[in-house]
Amino acid sequence: MLKLTRKVEYSLIALRHMQGKSIDSVSSTKEIATRYNIPLEILAKTLQHMAKENIIEAINGPRGGYRIKAKLKNINLAEFFEKVEGPLGLSDCFYDANCMQIEYCNIRTPIQRINANMINMFRSMSVQDITN
Amino acid sequence: MLKLTRKVEYSLIALRHMQGKSIDSVSSTKEIATRYNIPLEILAKTLQHMAKENIIEAINGPRGGYRIKAKLKNINLAEFFEKVEGPLGLSDCFYDANCMQIEYCNIRTPIQRINANMINMFRSMSVQDITN
DNA sequence: TTATATCCGATATAAATTGTCGGATATATT
DNA sequence: AATATATCCGACAATTTATATCGGATATAA
């Protein structure tokens, strides 16, 4: 319960790795996968996804790889999690009503309050706060 | 990602239900399961678990059921989640080191900071804040 | 004595997460 | 032009976690 996914963790590991290098040097999937003991194919998917979201930039071909494209200071954690994993919410019912309890549920509103607190908390931290 | 489990949701639904009744009246598993469309056996387990944690009290026999035992005002959400689901943490590595990345991980400390923020947020709300 | 309730371990099912495979496309280097 | 190294990407498989079910025991009010 309340866990981050590997995809998010791998994304942050990769970003932190890239941030430790000079601005125009690139990092290949293999380099990062080896360095942090991450399954290559998974990391590949993860990096491709971040590239589509314009967080990082892909350089094709030999000597290619990825480098940071966005200003990490300007991406808060709530945005980042949503870019990487989709909608945030303690329960699915906030964005998808397919729940047996929905009609009778007596805790939907209260849980929305916790949810709002959680999202605010994530909004108050930038990706850079994590990768620095 | 970052979801509550049904067990937690069912627990809160049941508590809120009981809180809406007079202090010494009991609510049976069947009553609650029917009312909120929750699978009976699952709810039974959930309530038994809360009884073991002294959050509620079980009355055996016919006309039995459960009633609230603890002061919900004095149980914060972090405690409550831990009683119902076990240790809280955005990653398992905070209480169980069985992770391929643990030796090389470059985000453990930063994620611990997010984690601390999250737990503080849950500490700042009582179960009663939710069930009232 | 009977009916209704909790109790509880074992097991099955379903869903989500995590990881693998195969083959395509892009491009720097030789 | 050929080659090697890299990203790209859909389909699929395995694993883990969460959710639900089953069977039978115990407690007690009526």
Side-chain angles (χ1 to χ4, degrees):
Chain A
M1 186 180 82
L2 293 169
K3 292 279 184 297
L4 299 178
T5 60
R6 293 283 197 213
K7 208 158 130 191
V8 166
E9 293 177 350
Y10 296 160
S11 296
L12 288 171
I13 288 174
L15 285 177
R16 180 159 209 199
H17 178 81
M18 291 183 220
Q19 194 152 51
K21 303 173 79 170
S22 66
I23 190 73
D24 53 351
S25 79
V26 303
S27 307
S28 74
T29 306
K30 191 194 286 182
E31 168 189 336
I32 299 174
T34 307
R35 175 78 179 71
Y36 300 98
N37 205 28
I38 300 171
L40 184 78
E41 291 297 328
I42 295 249
L43 182 64
K45 289 266 166 61
T46 301
L47 296 175
Q48 283 158 33
H49 187 180
M50 280 205 287
K52 271 193 186 164
E53 297 288 346
N54 288 307
I55 300 167
I56 58 179
E57 179 177 28
I59 314 295
N60 271 344
R63 323 212 37 176
Y66 297 90
R67 65 187 167 209
I68 292 174
K69 185 176 178 190
K71 295 282 175 221
L72 300 187
K73 201 172 61 181
N74 297 335
I75 305 179
N76 67 53
L77 280 186
E79 287 179 273
F80 180 74
F81 291 162
E82 296 213 320
K83 278 178 194 291
V84 172
E85 278 292 338
L88 269 184
L90 289 172
S91 295
D92 285 343
C93 60
F94 301 145
Y95 47 84
D96 164 16
N98 183 23
C99 168
M100 295 295 290
Q101 279 73 46
I102 196 108
E103 274 186 72
Y104 326 95
C105 188
N106 62 359
I107 56 164
R108 196 149 181 256
T109 310
I111 285 188
Q112 255 165 346
R113 284 202 305 270
I114 316 180
N115 200 54
N117 284 347
M118 188 180 75
I119 290 179
N120 276 336
M121 189 266 287
F122 288 138
R123 281 216 188 96
S124 75
M125 307 180 79
S126 74
V127 175
Q128 184 158 272
D129 292 336
I130 304 309
T131 56
N132 255 355
Chain B
M1 185 180 83
L2 293 168
K3 293 278 184 298
L4 299 176
T5 60
R6 293 283 195 214
K7 207 158 133 193
V8 165
E9 293 178 350
Y10 296 160
S11 297
L12 289 171
I13 287 174
L15 285 177
R16 181 159 209 198
H17 178 82
M18 292 183 217
Q19 194 151 52
K21 304 173 79 170
S22 67
I23 189 75
D24 53 349
S25 78
V26 303
S27 309
S28 74
T29 306
K30 193 194 285 182
E31 166 189 338
I32 300 174
T34 307
R35 174 78 179 72
Y36 300 99
N37 204 29
I38 300 171
L40 183 79
E41 291 297 328
I42 295 247
L43 182 64
K45 289 266 166 62
T46 301
L47 295 175
Q48 283 158 34
H49 187 181
M50 279 205 289
K52 272 194 182 162
E53 296 287 346
N54 289 307
I55 299 168
I56 59 180
E57 179 177 28
I59 314 295
N60 272 345
R63 324 209 39 178
Y66 297 90
R67 64 185 168 210
I68 291 174
K69 184 176 180 190
K71 296 283 177 222
L72 299 188
K73 202 172 61 180
N74 297 335
I75 305 180
N76 67 53
L77 280 185
E79 286 178 275
F80 180 73
F81 291 162
E82 297 213 320
K83 277 178 194 292
V84 173
E85 279 292 338
L88 270 184
L90 289 172
S91 296
D92 286 343
C93 60
F94 301 145
Y95 47 83
D96 164 16
N98 184 22
C99 169
M100 295 296 290
Q101 279 74 46
I102 196 109
E103 275 186 72
Y104 326 97
C105 189
N106 62 359
I107 56 165
R108 198 152 180 252
T109 310
I111 286 188
Q112 255 166 346
R113 285 201 306 270
I114 316 180
N115 200 53
N117 284 347
M118 189 181 73
I119 289 178
N120 275 335
M121 190 266 288
F122 288 137
R123 282 217 188 96
S124 75
M125 308 181 80
S126 75
V127 175
Q128 185 157 273
D129 292 335
I130 303 309
T131 57
N132 257 355

